Amino acid sequence: MIRRALLIAALFCAVAPARADFRLCNNTAVRVSVAIAYTDGRNWLSEGWWNLRPTVCETLLRGPLAAQYYYVYAMDERGGEWKGKAFMCTRDREFRIDGREDCFARGFDRTGFFEIDTGRDAKSWTVQLTDPNAAPPAQ
């Protein structure tokens, strides 16, 4: 009986797909627009916009992570931003842009993204955006 249960469990594990995605959670009280950027080792790609309602998580990239470093830029409806010093090309409407050079010359905006180090062996990752102005939870 135990062998049979182990076999069924082993078959279930072999058939069930492993979850491996790059996700982002909006842990704020307002809608947030998100862009991401990453490299395949040779070429840079930036893409956006995902519009996440408050307290919602969304998968931005499906499948195992292809890089150790990912870059995120986000802004909320009130003008708040999550940004950094890694500059990538963006535009106001939906985009998927190859390369990060000469953004202005190519008709794009140049936007500062913050870096996410997922580690060398990570297969999935979730970024948690929080409101920097929110009061800490009561203890």
Side-chain angles (χ1 to χ4, degrees), residues 26 40 47 74-75 79 85 104 115 130:
N26 175 11
D40 63 6
E47 53 186 308
M75 62 183 163
K85 296 179 181 177
F104 296 127
E115 182 178 87
T130 58

Side-chain angles (χ1 to χ4, degrees), residues 82-112:
W82 293 260
K83 59 185 178 178
K85 296 179 181 177
F87 289 94
M88 309 291 173
C89 300
T90 61
R91 68 181 337 156
D92 288 340
R93 59 187 184 276
E94 186 177 333
F95 67 91
R96 183 177 171 97
I97 302 170
D98 289 320
R100 62 186 278 191
E101 305 81 22
D102 305 316
C103 297
F104 296 127
R106 296 190 295 148
F108 302 121
D109 297 319
R110 185 172 177 261
T111 305

Side-chain angles (χ1 to χ4, degrees), residues 39 65-70 116-120:
T39 180
L65 300 182
Q68 177 177 345
Y69 296 98
Y70 287 82
I116 304 291
D117 182 350
T118 64
R120 290 183 186 211

